[in-house]
Amino acid sequence: MASQDVKHRTRDEHEPNVGEMNNSSSSRVKRQKRTSMAKRGLRSLAIAVALPLSLTLLNITLFGSSQSYHALRKPFWFPPLWALHMTCLASSFIMGLSAWLVWAEGGFHKEPMAVALFLSQLALSLAWDPVVFTAGATRVGLVVCLALFGVLAGCSRMFRKVNPIAGDLVKLSLAWAGFLALVNLNLVYL
């Protein structure tokens, strides 16, 4: 009798009834929706990170090489030009990632000022290289750095309201903008 129960249970487990087939089909549909959403999320993440990175790389290529920076007598703590550019790229990556985190949670609809602050910081960070390296206007570059610092502080505050991790990521760029302002301040007086 026990062996018949085992056979019966085994047969029932392998032969799905109509309700199980509906559950199976609905779980397949749910899985397809999740996969589709994940693909859209990855595409939007790639765009959110690639756009600021591309703009920064283009900016560095067009305006970033400066013989005047190489020729300066700099204090020991001044970064080499390549390190300056790599950190600008890292900052762009971090800002793109943090903006995506805010966007993914609908934060640009909840806090419309966050978009304006993000775009402002992007414009200011892109403006610094041409102002300082191409035009040689270190005083204007200092103003740009200070404005960038203020905009990043506001961006961090707005992003933190929507996603605390995004707000904390902006702090890395905020630290970089502060250091860049110190470098720029010393460029004014060299």
Side-chain angles (χ1 to χ4, degrees), residues 1-183:
M1 179 99 170
S3 65
Q4 288 177 345
D5 287 340
V6 171
K7 287 180 184 175
H8 182 65
R9 274 188 242 144
T10 307
R11 188 175 59 228
D12 285 347
E13 290 173 2
H14 291 301
E15 294 176 12
N17 61 24
V18 174
E20 287 176 347
M21 288 193 322
N22 286 341
N23 285 340
S24 171
S25 131
S26 72
S27 69
R28 189 173 344 122
V29 169
K30 287 179 184 178
R31 192 176 1 191
Q32 288 172 343
K33 284 183 181 180
R34 283 193 306 254
T35 303
S36 174
M37 286 177 59
K39 286 180 182 178
R40 276 185 288 167
L42 286 175
R43 276 192 300 258
S44 64
L45 174 61
I47 291 168
V49 170
L51 184 66
L53 267 177
S54 301
L55 290 172
T56 303
L57 192 57
L58 180 65
N59 192 36
I60 289 169
T61 303
L62 295 176
F63 307 110
S65 65
S66 173
Q67 297 305 321
S68 62
Y69 187 80
H70 292 295
L72 285 174
R73 288 184 21 187
K74 300 177 282 286
F76 73 93
W77 56 272
F78 261 46
L81 193 58
W82 66 267
L84 196 109
H85 292 319
M86 291 303 288
T87 312
C88 284
L89 284 169
S91 180
S92 291
F93 173 81
I94 288 168
M95 287 307 297
L97 177 62
S98 61
W100 179 80
L101 287 170
V102 171
W103 172 82
E105 292 194 22
F108 289 145
H109 294 292
K110 294 176 194 170
E111 298 286 341
M113 190 62 155
V115 176
L117 287 170
F118 172 73
L119 293 175
S120 298
Q121 76 77 31
L122 182 61
L124 287 168
S125 66
L126 291 173
W128 187 80
D129 264 355
V131 166
V132 173
F133 292 136
T134 305
T138 55
R139 290 178 195 268
V140 176
L142 182 59
V143 171
V144 169
C145 275
L146 294 175
L148 178 61
F149 190 83
V151 168
L152 282 169
C155 205
S156 176
R157 188 175 291 157
M158 282 288 176
F159 281 16
R160 191 178 313 117
K161 287 180 183 177
V162 178
N163 184 321
I165 294 171
D168 288 342
L169 283 173
V170 174
K171 290 178 184 175
L172 297 171
S173 294
L174 190 61
W176 171 243
F179 179 74
L180 202 57
L182 285 175
V183 168

